[in-house]
Amino acid sequence: MEEKLEKAKCNMISKEVMLSQYACKSNEAILLKKDKQDIRPVFFRDIDRIIHSLAYTRYIDKTQVYSFTKNDHITHRVLHVQLVSKIARTIGRSLNLNEDLIEAIALGHDVGHSPFGHKGENYLNEICKKENIGYFYHNAQSVRVLKDLEKINISVQTLDGILAHNGEILINKYEYNKKKTKEEFELELDNVFNKEGYSKRIVPITLESSVVRLSDIIAYIGRDIEDSIKIGIIKREEIPKDITKVLGDNNSKIVNKLIKDIIINSFDKPYLTFSEEVFNALMKLKTWNYKEIYMSTEANKHQNIIKEFFYELYYCYLKKVENFIKGKKYTSTEKNLYDFIKEKDSDTNIKRAIIDYIAGQTDQYFLNECAENVRQINIEELYN
């Protein structure tokens, strides 16, 4: 029996001997704490643990771009991470990198995203600054969710890749720092929470992480255009011709062009890079998307009231928690909040714990909590 299991384990990692010299092998995996071994390589096991996490299940009802649009065919966070994973694995396989590590990073990279996407992230960051409890960035929160809140033993390489991803930053040379230690990773994580803008300075520990970081952009840049066309925000012919002649005018063409270009220009190199022509076109498309899509009225629908809800819900929870501490009994509708706060370690700042609680909510749960605790609202009217 043991002999067969050992052979099975060897089969699981046998292909790694063929990986690129720049790939991160399973035997290089760093764990924050000791773990039992089974037939799965460490990064493969990371994938399993992430998809079985509670935070992963909540992807299904979190905003990607459009929050209050009744259309079953637009992208939500759950689809976005799957698209990132598929694109990243395509690039990773072509460059002979570790697909297990790539998939783990990709599937876990947004588990810390707040309800209502980047706007919700901005509101939580504002509250954190106002309350003097550091900053809120979804990449660091994703690591916090897996490592500290759900206490899942994930490899440092996977967590570092999640921390290092930033789909809002586009550069034309994605490098990595293989010499980074566990202690340096933990320091960087702390710095992201406590030093404004520190995320932009992080260089990941693996090339696989750089693949995911770049794939995050590839996954949303064309898909957001398709969603916007579906709901009538833009027309395909409005995309500037100097962009479409290089990248194409639909998601399929854009993704295909970007993937092929990165593979051709990065093959057998210790970094990732686009050709100058494609990179310049991508930069122009990203700028155009921000102006025509992300700043559009539809993408910002009801954001004034949503921002108010974030503040009001936070201070409502803070008052409730203070009452819990004073010994006041919780009601049935307060049980989830009470249980969440009760489970936190004694050294967790109560204000940060409330931020954690709000950040973990889906869009619908957030609105229900606002209707229950903040003010009377007709949620259905927000979608009209």
Side-chain angles (χ1 to χ4, degrees):
M1 181 71 73
E2 292 298 323
E3 182 181 350
K4 291 180 179 179
L5 286 176
E6 190 60 33
K7 287 183 178 179
K9 184 177 180 179
C10 290
N11 288 339
M12 292 283 281
I13 62 172
S14 60
K15 293 182 180 180
E16 290 197 3
V17 297
M18 304 295 292
L19 292 180
S20 163
Q21 61 177 316
Y22 307 118
C24 182
K25 314 295 197 302
S26 294
N27 62 8
E28 299 176 71
I30 304 168
L31 290 174
L32 292 175
K33 53 187 177 182
K34 292 183 179 180
D35 207 342
K36 293 180 179 178
Q37 298 295 312
D38 56 37
I39 64 171
R40 297 170 297 175
V42 174
F43 303 137
F44 190 96
R45 187 174 59 194
D46 284 351
I47 299 169
D48 292 344
R49 289 178 173 176
I50 289 169
I51 64 176
H52 284 288
S53 69
L54 295 175
Y56 189 87
T57 64
R58 296 195 296 270
Y59 271 142
I60 197 168
D61 183 33
K62 289 201 175 190
T63 291
Q64 179 62 17
V65 175
Y66 299 107
S67 299
F68 298 105
T69 302
K70 284 190 173 181
N71 189 314
D72 291 338
H73 296 133
I74 64 170
T75 307
H76 286 75
R77 192 66 54 180
V78 65
L79 177 57
H80 169 69
V81 298
Q82 291 172 330
L83 295 173
V84 174
S85 176
K86 184 60 178 176
I87 290 168
R89 284 185 289 125
T90 300
I91 295 172
R93 181 176 294 190
S94 300
L95 298 180
N96 215 13
L97 301 177
N98 193 322
E99 286 186 63
D100 289 342
L101 176 56
I102 286 172
E103 185 173 10
I105 297 169
L107 294 181
H109 83 278
D110 271 354
V111 291
H113 235 305
S114 65
F116 299 102
H118 287 284
K119 296 176 184 67
E121 178 181 17
N122 291 338
Y123 305 149
L124 289 179
N125 190 42
E126 288 177 8
I127 294 171
C128 286
K129 289 192 288 186
K130 184 178 180 179
E131 294 290 281
N132 295 313
I133 53 173
Y135 302 92
F136 182 90
Y137 297 109
H138 78 273
N139 57 326
Q141 187 68 17
S142 295
V143 175
R144 178 170 169 80
V145 166
L146 296 170
K147 174 179 170 288
D148 300 321
L149 302 185
E150 297 202 33
K151 300 185 185 304
I152 305 171
N153 194 15
I154 303 291
S155 71
V156 168
Q157 282 89 344
T158 294
L159 294 176
D160 176 80
I162 292 171
L163 182 66
H165 96 268
N166 194 324
E168 289 67 63
I169 299 176
L170 180 58
I171 56 177
N172 201 21
K173 191 174 185 181
Y174 292 79
E175 300 177 280
Y176 69 107
N177 175 19
K178 192 173 185 179
K179 296 180 180 179
K180 186 190 295 187
T181 65
K182 176 175 68 175
E183 291 74 23
E184 289 172 331
F185 156 72
E186 292 179 312
L187 178 60
E188 287 187 329
L189 176 61
D190 185 70
N191 284 342
V192 174
F193 279 115
N194 294 291
K195 294 183 179 181
E196 190 167 15
Y198 190 87
S199 287
K200 298 177 182 179
R201 296 158 53 182
I202 294 176
V203 176
I205 196 172
T206 67
L207 190 57
E208 285 82 358
S209 174
S210 294
V211 169
V212 175
R213 181 179 177 183
L214 183 146
S215 298
D216 192 15
I217 299 172
I218 298 175
Y220 75 68
I221 198 79
R223 184 77 188 197
D224 291 348
I225 289 174
E226 299 302 324
D227 287 347
S228 300
I229 291 173
K230 283 188 183 77
I231 61 178
I233 304 304
I234 60 171
K235 296 179 181 178
R236 198 174 304 280
E237 55 268 26
E238 293 174 342
I239 307 171
K241 294 295 185 290
D242 61 331
I243 295 174
T244 59
K245 71 178 183 181
V246 177
L247 301 180
D249 64 352
N250 63 42
N251 183 55
S252 178
K253 293 176 182 177
I254 292 169
V255 169
N256 184 60
K257 182 67 175 182
L258 292 175
I259 288 177
K260 286 184 176 179
D261 191 78
I262 204 72
I263 291 170
I264 291 170
N265 289 280
S266 307
F267 199 83
D268 208 22
K269 294 177 182 177
Y271 57 87
L272 306 178
T273 188
F274 289 107
S275 65
E276 185 175 351
E277 179 187 44
V278 167
F279 177 74
N280 289 336
L282 180 57
M283 285 287 287
K284 290 178 181 178
L285 181 57
K286 187 170 178 285
T287 300
W288 188 83
N289 273 21
Y290 267 91
K291 180 182 177 182
E292 303 298 331
I293 296 176
Y294 311 132
M295 300 303 294
S296 69
T297 300
E298 186 65 26
N300 292 277
K301 190 175 181 180
H302 301 311
Q303 286 307 306
N304 287 339
I305 190 172
I306 294 300
K307 181 176 181 178
E308 291 176 4
F309 283 163
F310 268 89
Y311 276 86
E312 291 173 7
L313 189 60
Y314 170 81
Y315 286 111
C316 174
Y317 283 159
L318 183 59
K319 184 176 181 179
K320 287 178 182 291
V321 171
E322 289 171 347
N323 287 335
F324 297 157
I325 294 172
K326 292 176 182 177
K328 182 180 178 181
K329 292 186 178 180
Y330 59 88
T331 65
S332 58
T333 58
E334 295 170 336
K335 187 177 188 304
N336 286 343
L337 173 63
Y338 175 82
D339 288 344
F340 184 87
I341 298 297
K342 186 179 179 182
E343 289 174 1
K344 299 304 105 186
D345 293 335
S346 59
D347 62 348
T348 298
N349 185 293
I350 292 300
K351 292 181 178 181
R352 176 59 71 171
I354 294 171
I355 294 293
D356 291 335
Y357 188 63
I358 296 175
Q361 296 174 2
T362 62
D363 294 5
Q364 190 63 45
Y365 189 89
F366 175 88
L367 292 175
N368 290 341
E369 284 291 278
C370 291
E372 178 73 32
N373 296 285
V374 174
R375 65 173 95 159
Q376 192 174 26
I377 57 173
N378 187 328
I379 296 174
E380 185 63 26
E381 287 184 356
L382 295 174
Y383 289 85
N384 295 327

